[in-house]
Amino acid sequence: MFSSRLDGLETSDIRKLFENAPPDAINMGIGEPDFQPPEHVREAVKKAIDSGQNKYGPIIGLPALRDAIAARHVRHLPGLARENVVVTAGGSEALMVCAQAFYEKGDEVLVPNPGFVFYSPHARIAGAKPVHYSLKQENDFGLDEEELKKLVSGRTRAIVVNTPSNPCGGAFTQKEANLIGDLSRDHKLVVISDEVYDEIVYDRPHVSMLGKSERVVMVNSFSKTYAMTGWRIGYMVAAAALAEGLAKVHYYTIACPSTPYQHGALAALTGPQEPVKAMVKEFKERRDYLVKALNETPGFKCTLPKGAFYTFPSFDFALDDRELAAHLLQNNVISTPGISFGSLGAKHMRFSYANSLKNLHKGVENIRNATKGLKRK
Ligand SMILES: Cc1ncc(COP(=O)(O)O)c(C=O)c1O
């Protein structure tokens, strides 16, 4: 009944795990901030609804919001203006629009392994072949220049990058961003740069792919920065000619983004940024606790994430990562097996720290109880 493009596509295991969780399990599988959107942002949405802003809006988003988005990123790319911005239904829609707009049947698309669960299926749905490049713990989840250069072929159309990374927590250095920019220019590759965690960085400023090549589309979102995952507002920033093409696919997908929630997004960008700073400060404290605690737990080895809100430790128990996730679930911890993010995620777990320090303490206690008797390799 379905087209062959759906062959082999499965829904991600992440949601399946939640469905089977005991009610008092500590949730370390979470992929969204455990905060609410700031109050003035919520008020802006209510006001928009109450004042009648409930109709279709412009295809590519409210002009004032596109101006505010351009202003937010102008430091990365001088001259950025509303012509460069398309507002979407979350980063998710933006990623799919990029796939439909750029990939042809038979194209190869370089995607990170481990990487966010949408990139390969999007390539497949668009008829292209995902080709994995590796992010390894021993390399601090950074790019392997030699490997990347070898993977580029005459059929490579695009490369998807994600900085900061879900699930690895790696974040680009200037050198890595320049490497991708050079590859893009030398081989005429489109760069789809997923930067939805750009404000959630801990030790050094975010390095954006904007401005590194004319073929960059930056995908971004309000979901994580302003804790509004359920509102579904994101955006793409690209050269005006690219934005125009992307807007066509976007129009035939959703017609236009939600009007009242765009008013919330506008209030979020133009209002006080203290709530974002407070959230990131809290995430940093939790990251420091969790990384130390995992490294002090026999069997786990964890690098320090530079951004986002996930740890991605490797482990040496005599179980695979799905088995370990199931075992942890029986011991009241929800986690995500590394294999969900690609073959190189095997023997890793993703533990999110989008949960209170109190719960993380309890989660670590449960993890330690669950793993202390396990055989190690
Ligand atoms: C790396 C990455 N990109 C994109 C998204 C999509 O986010 P949204 O559609 O809520 O903007 C997520 C959500 O988890 C993510 O982790």
Side-chain angles (χ1 to χ4, degrees):
M1 187 157 77
F2 294 111
S3 85
S4 59
R5 293 191 302 277
L6 266 64
D7 288 351
L9 285 186
E10 284 190 26
T11 38
S12 132
D13 332 24
I14 303 179
R15 285 178 187 271
K16 280 186 213 153
L17 270 169
F18 293 160
E19 283 157 20
N20 299 322
D24 51 349
I26 301 292
N27 195 343
M28 296 173 77
I30 305 179
E32 58 188 342
D34 55 318
F35 295 86
Q36 291 296 329
E39 195 184 336
H40 70 278
V41 172
R42 302 199 301 267
E43 287 306 321
V45 173
K46 290 181 206 162
K47 200 169 142 210
I49 291 173
D50 290 343
S51 63
Q53 309 286 322
N54 302 302
K55 307 293 179 192
Y56 292 131
I59 294 168
I60 53 179
L62 300 174
L65 177 59
R66 289 164 56 223
D67 285 345
I69 290 168
R72 178 180 174 212
H73 294 288
V74 77
R75 70 181 192 278
H76 297 301
L77 186 54
L80 212 60
R82 68 168 74 153
E83 288 70 37
N84 304 104
V85 180
V86 177
V87 181
T88 58
S92 303
E93 190 228 337
L95 289 168
M96 182 53 125
V97 164
C98 288
Q100 296 293 353
F102 294 119
Y103 308 165
E104 302 268 13
K105 193 167 183 325
D107 281 348
E108 293 179 359
V109 179
L110 299 177
V111 298
N113 179 8
F116 178 52
V117 294
F118 280 20
Y119 307 140
S120 291
H122 279 182
R124 289 216 176 86
I125 291 169
K129 180 180 162 206
V131 173
H132 293 149
Y133 65 87
S134 57
L135 300 174
K136 293 190 183 139
Q137 190 179 44
E138 63 261 31
N139 194 19
D140 208 12
F141 296 115
L143 299 176
D144 177 341
E145 181 170 350
E146 290 313 306
E147 185 203 41
L148 268 178
K149 287 183 171 161
K150 275 191 212 137
L151 288 174
V152 177
S153 77
R155 309 196 115 187
T156 313
R157 167 77 56 147
I159 176 162
V160 180
V161 296
N162 176 212
T163 179
S165 149
N166 171 15
C168 304
F172 276 6
T173 57
Q174 279 294 348
K175 189 166 170 242
E176 288 176 305
N178 289 336
L179 165 66
I180 298 296
D182 291 347
L183 280 179
S184 163
R185 278 193 307 276
D186 293 350
H187 301 277
K188 298 195 166 34
L189 304 185
V190 174
V191 180
I192 297 159
S193 184
D194 180 343
E195 302 182 24
V196 304
Y197 296 98
D198 63 347
E199 294 290 333
I200 306 176
V201 287
Y202 306 112
D203 307 310
R204 58 174 193 235
H206 173 66
V207 176
S208 177
M209 278 307 301
L210 276 181
K212 301 290 183 195
S213 148
E214 289 184 344
R215 292 182 173 77
V216 171
V217 180
M218 182 190 65
V219 168
N220 216 314
S221 178
F222 289 85
S223 286
K224 316 286 174 171
T225 309
Y226 296 101
M228 50 173 83
T229 46
W231 291 8
R232 314 307 303 127
I233 301 289
Y235 56 93
M236 301 180 275
V237 177
L242 292 188
E244 231 172 86
L246 291 163
K248 291 181 197 164
V249 184
H250 159 78
Y251 172 58
Y252 291 116
T253 309
I254 65 157
C256 67
S258 152
T259 302
Y261 290 116
Q262 285 186 83
H263 284 281
L266 179 59
L269 272 190
T270 52
Q273 298 304 300
E274 278 67 29
V276 181
K277 288 189 190 126
M279 179 180 78
V280 174
K281 187 164 173 272
E282 174 77 25
F283 279 145
K284 184 172 191 290
E285 206 178 316
R286 297 174 189 178
R287 172 199 71 159
D288 292 344
Y289 161 71
L290 186 59
V291 169
K292 187 163 178 287
L294 287 169
N295 279 325
E296 286 168 1
T297 305
F300 289 103
K301 196 167 119 195
C302 192
T303 52
L304 192 67
K306 297 173 185 70
F309 37 72
Y310 311 102
T311 56
F312 200 60
S314 57
F315 63 87
D316 64 4
F317 305 112
L319 292 176
D320 71 28
D321 37 295
R322 283 182 206 276
E323 290 166 340
L324 183 57
H327 179 67
L328 291 177
L329 197 62
Q330 283 166 7
N331 288 272
N332 278 350
V333 177
I334 303 174
S335 59
T336 314
I339 195 86
S340 312
F341 305 96
S343 58
L344 291 177
K347 298 294 269 188
H348 288 261
M349 299 303 289
R350 191 189 74 172
F351 294 116
S352 159
Y353 44 94
N355 206 331
S356 68
L357 259 183
K358 185 166 164 253
N359 282 341
L360 292 178
H361 277 98
K362 181 74 188 135
V364 166
E365 191 186 316
N366 293 353
I367 292 170
R368 287 183 176 158
N369 286 336
T371 56
K372 69 176 174 236
L374 290 180
K375 212 169 122 214
R376 294 176 56 193
K377 268 198 181 146

